[in-house]
Amino acid sequence: MTIWVDADACPVVIKEILFRAADRTQTPVVLVANRGMRTPPSAWIRVQVVPAGFDVADNEIVKQVQPGEMVITSDIPLAAEVIEKGAEALSPRGEEFNAGNIRGRLNMRDFMDTMRASGVQTGGPPPLSQQERQSFANALDRYLAKLK
């Protein structure tokens, strides 16, 4: 089982948690990005560079992910696609996306896009908190324990 990472927008601290978990549990982690990135030397971590372009990395993840695998992403449409394929999705903030909550998240995302398109300033997400980092690490550990 592989953990796929939508790596272009993934915070460094979350990648570091993933790197440690990959080595500790000998679980393959693939970072998919449109540019190369440095990773620690490990047989369990690799970077897959894709061409630059809209949703190229997302499409590559969807193409390769298998049922039961995990995708780390804050991209709600990508999460919906991998859930549809039978994979699991987890945000860098520790939110577990699933069939029961993804439709509501897609609706909220579309609503916010409409608001921004009409000129409403919505601001970006707040910085990643320590609690969110811990939530991510806990959710990742639950997933990895389930694999063993």
Side-chain angles (χ1 to χ4, degrees):
M1 289 289 175
T2 299
I3 296 174
W4 298 90
V5 183
D6 184 7
D8 287 321
C10 187
V12 171
V13 67
I14 298 303
K15 290 177 196 166
E16 291 169 355
I17 291 169
L18 287 163
F19 297 158
R20 287 191 300 272
D23 283 333
R24 184 181 78 242
T25 64
Q26 298 183 342
T27 302
V29 170
V30 179
L31 295 100
V32 182
N34 61 21
R35 57 183 163 72
M37 52 185 58
R38 292 181 8 193
T39 61
S42 171
W44 303 103
I45 303 164
R46 74 180 172 90
V47 176
Q48 182 175 347
V49 179
V50 297
F54 185 71
D55 284 345
V56 175
D58 297 358
N59 293 339
E60 188 63 27
I61 292 170
V62 170
K63 182 172 98 177
Q64 293 192 55
V65 72
Q66 299 297 310
E69 292 183 331
M70 171 68 73
V71 174
I72 310 302
T73 185
S74 55
D75 185 313
I76 306 299
L78 172 57
E81 287 188 75
V82 300
I83 289 168
E84 195 171 295
K85 284 191 72 174
E88 299 187 39
L90 177 65
S91 84
R93 294 181 180 275
E95 182 178 3
E96 296 176 65
F97 300 117
N98 57 50
N101 69 12
I102 196 66
R103 188 66 42 208
R105 293 299 312 261
L106 278 168
N107 289 340
M108 179 55 75
R109 177 196 171 277
D110 292 344
F111 172 73
M112 295 304 287
D113 276 351
T114 301
M115 295 289 288
R116 284 188 288 273
S118 68
V120 174
Q121 296 292 325
T122 59
L128 200 61
S129 71
Q130 185 60 41
Q131 181 179 355
E132 289 168 324
R133 292 175 195 175
Q134 188 63 52
S135 179
F136 174 83
N138 291 343
L140 180 64
D141 282 345
R142 282 192 300 275
Y143 172 76
L144 293 169
K146 188 170 60 172
L147 291 181
K148 301 299 174 200

